[in-house]
Amino acid sequence: MNLELNLVALRTIVRKEVVRVLRIWVQTIVPPAITMTLYFIIFGNLIGRRIGPMDGFDYMQYIAPGLIMMSVITNSYGNVVSSFFGAKFGRHIEEMLVSPMSSATIVLGHVAGGVLRGVLVGALVTVIALFFTDLDVQHPFITISVVLLSSVVFALAGFINAVFAKKFDDISIIPTFVLTPLTYLGGVFYSISLLPEPWQTLSLANPILYMVNAFRYGILGTSDIELGTAYAILLFFCVLLFVICLSLMRRGVGIRE
């Protein structure tokens, strides 16, 4: 019976997240689509002509997977951090805590909403990319699995950010000072083989580099890193962040304080 109750609760949270994303689509879907369009025009079309081919691909074609992954990462993270912090700020998180649903159900429900938005925006950016370049998916399973795992990782990270956030300003600190720099330095716009040492080696410490390159391999068949290493890092962070989220929820950090 407890499992049945949690399944009902999970469906309810997921439905709430879906409705939230679609209801305010002007804020959740349109802005990232416009931003990525500008990236394609400025970096791909204008600057790309001067840069020329990269790893045997047209520059626009090379950066397209990176831009798609960047939109997935930022939107998966942003959806969960804003949604869960909104629940804390509006005090209706307390209704979830006193209900029979487990901490895992609360975490999974919000993460599912983040994954949905990330995948939805990623699909839209992919459609936009097709107006600028040709994308022939070489490895569909790798492409889909990397997108899903990456969106789960950053949805969980967004949940942790929301747990510790005490005011609205706190939910923008990590995206601004951590997530954005790591994304731009994660091989979205270049191959790390172009970097001199020690920057090439230092780049390997950036987990986003592995996600971007694994996704690029799924679409173009080229990558700067080992695919097995990328999957190992993705799975490691999925498990680690999920355990942290559960621990924070059960201890009531940032919620019962």
Side-chain angles (χ1 to χ4, degrees):
M1 185 63 177
N2 189 46
L3 177 60
E4 184 179 350
L5 287 175
N6 277 284
L7 288 175
V8 172
L10 179 62
R11 287 197 299 268
T12 303
I13 296 175
V14 173
R15 188 186 307 118
K16 175 184 73 80
E17 292 298 302
V18 171
V19 171
R20 175 181 175 273
V21 170
L22 298 179
R23 187 180 69 245
I24 55 174
W25 59 273
V26 175
Q27 301 175 39
T28 57
I29 299 176
V30 174
I34 294 175
T35 301
M36 290 302 123
T37 301
L38 293 175
Y39 276 123
F40 280 116
I41 294 174
I42 297 171
F43 285 93
N45 199 20
L46 300 179
I47 299 178
R49 293 177 182 176
R50 295 181 177 272
I51 295 177
M54 186 167 292
D55 279 3
F57 295 93
D58 177 79
Y59 187 68
M60 179 84 79
Q61 195 174 27
Y62 184 84
I63 68 171
L67 291 175
I68 295 170
M69 181 54 68
M70 185 165 70
S71 68
V72 170
I73 289 172
T74 55
N75 283 276
S76 298
Y77 187 99
N79 190 79
V80 178
V81 71
S82 61
S83 176
F84 190 74
F85 179 77
K88 285 175 51 181
F89 185 80
R91 310 297 295 182
H92 57 267
I93 185 62
E94 297 172 358
E95 299 175 3
M96 297 185 193
L97 296 176
V98 300
S99 69
M101 75 174 75
S102 66
S103 297
T105 299
I106 297 175
V107 173
L108 291 174
H110 286 85
V111 167
V115 172
L116 170 76
R117 178 175 166 185
V119 171
L120 188 61
V121 173
L124 180 58
V125 173
T126 301
V127 173
I128 293 172
L130 294 175
F131 286 97
F132 295 92
T133 187
D134 294 325
L135 294 178
D136 185 15
V137 179
Q138 301 295 317
H139 308 283
F141 174 78
I142 294 175
T143 302
I144 295 172
S145 61
V146 169
V147 165
L148 292 177
L149 289 172
S150 299
S151 58
V152 167
V153 168
F154 284 95
L156 289 167
F159 191 93
I160 295 173
N161 187 176
V163 167
F164 285 104
K166 298 184 182 301
K167 55 184 183 297
F168 279 101
D169 290 343
D170 293 339
I171 67 176
S172 62
I173 292 176
I174 299 299
T176 301
F177 295 104
V178 178
L179 193 57
T180 299
L182 287 178
T183 303
Y184 278 93
L185 297 173
V188 173
F189 300 102
Y190 58 88
S191 169
I192 63 168
S193 61
L194 299 176
L195 298 176
E197 292 292 352
W199 304 112
Q200 186 174 147
T201 301
L202 289 174
S203 295
L204 298 176
N206 183 356
I208 295 181
L209 174 74
Y210 297 88
M211 302 174 192
V212 169
N213 273 276
F215 184 69
R216 181 174 286 130
Y217 179 82
I219 293 182
L220 302 180
T222 184
S223 174
D224 291 331
I225 50 87
E226 290 290 334
L227 192 62
T229 304
Y231 271 105
I233 289 175
L234 281 166
L235 293 172
F236 170 77
F237 276 106
C238 279
V239 174
L240 175 65
L241 295 179
F242 182 69
V243 170
I244 293 174
C245 288
L246 281 184
S247 176
L248 293 174
M249 284 296 296
R250 288 169 178 167
R251 289 161 49 198
V253 176
I255 300 172
R256 297 189 178 97
E257 297 174 351

